Amino acid sequence: MIVTIIAIRFFVNTNFKNSFEKYVDDSNKTEINHLIEFDLKSIYLNGNWDIELIENLGIDSIRKGIAIEIYDENNNKVWSVFEDEKVLSDNTLNEISKNMQSIEKKWNSYFEEFKIDIRDISGNPVGYAYIGHYASTYYMENDVEFFYAANRIIAIIGVISIGSIIIISIIISRSIANPISKVSKMTKFIGEGNYKNEVTYKSNISEIDDLINAINKLSNELNEQENLRKQLTGDIAHELRTPLTSIKGHLDTIIAGIWEPTNERLNSINEEVTRIANLVDELRKLAKFDTEKNNLNKEIVNLKNYIKTISYNYEGKALEKNIVIKYDLEDLEVLVDKEKFAQVIVNILSNAIKYNNGNSEIYVKTFMKDNNINISIKDSGIGIPESELKNIFERFYRVDKSRGANEKGMGVGLTISKSIVNAHGGEIKVFSEVNKGSEFIIILPNEN
Ligand code: ADP
């Protein structure tokens, strides 16, 4: 902006100087024309030179930078500003030259003269006049004053504009830089692990407020993740310790010779070992899905047959709790990794049976909506509290462990399901109400 203003100032200056020069030139020319056309015509009247008029005219003209010399027809001098008003003419012409040099150092003009005839009323020549002036543009005292005043105004406007731009820039940059540096300090602090700290700064720039909100959201999210991670480590330690303590207890007593290594005791140890193996297996599966989720082997399957084949295996388990699985399946073709996607249906369907008090029905339904393939699995089981809904897809997350306590879950089924569905470009939605039941809807893009 400063460069623009300097450029504008330069442009205005040159333009102004050119226009002003033209104006002064024009008015000097008009002055001389007036002198020739009117004034010099009345200085010779009734056979006599009107010396008083000539003198007035000469003095008046030299004050405008125009020198007059009058000669009669015999070449005798009638009046000359250079002789009769020597001091005034010298002073005035010097003054002009000094003024012009102060404006333009290189100003170095010569004095130009031209001759015109003077005639009487009848048109007979009675003499002649020399009219002289500086050949290039020249300014009189008033012109110079005006020129400097205008220049001063242009300069003042320039300085005021540059000053206001500097002040406005400082204000704007401060109002941006201050909150950004505050936000940056806070993010650094959050980055050091202080997730609970929120950026409380309120700026008056909406984009920065949005940034602050996004950072606060991120920090809350990180805080939650951090808590989940801590809980997860605790859960794994706990899950491992229980069977290990039991195994160690058994083995210690057997080694001490207190207990005989009977089949029954060895079986009990074996059961605990199986539990640990299952846990490790789940962990391995989770890690495997994490690394392989982008590696899908997709093929077209008939959704109706596919779902039925998978869920038939669970009908027996459901019947144990007196749960009937009902189907409403459309003949849809879908592009999925058969093996991995089966895991999703299995996880959700087995949860619907697991977290269920029995004596009810489970509905498995497929339908098209907004050009997406929807698979809904709806139970009338124990339901999930609303506050827990966002967590159930987190790894090792289990809603209140006392619920469905007899069901041995590790809390990874839905995590894996979600990552498989996401890898297929889809999503899982869940609607649930405690004691009423839950509905899981798998939404897949229609890729056919
Ligand atoms: P888990 O191995 O514990 O079943 P999931 O990841 O499959 O792990 O599920 C996470 C948690 O979500 C479960 O522990 C359970 O509390 C809750 N949940 C999942 N499905 C249902 C359902 N259909 N009804 C009620 N609660 C459910």
Side-chain angles (χ1 to χ4, degrees), residues 351-352 354-355 379 382-384 392 397-399 403 409-415 438 440:
N351 278 349
K354 259 201 294 191
Y355 303 103
D379 63 59
I382 61 176
I384 305 162
I392 56 169
Y397 193 89
R398 305 189 61 210
V399 181
R403 296 165 2 121
M410 287 295 310
V412 293
L414 286 179
T415 316
S438 317
F440 285 78

Side-chain angles (χ1 to χ4, degrees), residues 325-338:
I325 304 180
K326 294 202 161 163
Y327 303 94
D328 177 5
L329 304 174
E330 283 180 29
D331 247 329
L332 297 170
E333 306 254 276
V334 60
L335 192 64
V336 288
D337 181 318
K338 248 172 121 174

Side-chain angles (χ1 to χ4, degrees), residues 321 351 353-357 382-383 398-410:
K321 281 177 134 180
N351 278 349
I353 301 167
K354 259 201 294 191
Y355 303 103
N356 203 312
N357 296 327
I382 61 176
R398 305 189 61 210
V399 181
D400 181 7
K401 293 186 188 93
S402 59
R403 296 165 2 121
N406 46 351
E407 303 296 347
K408 283 184 188 147
M410 287 295 310

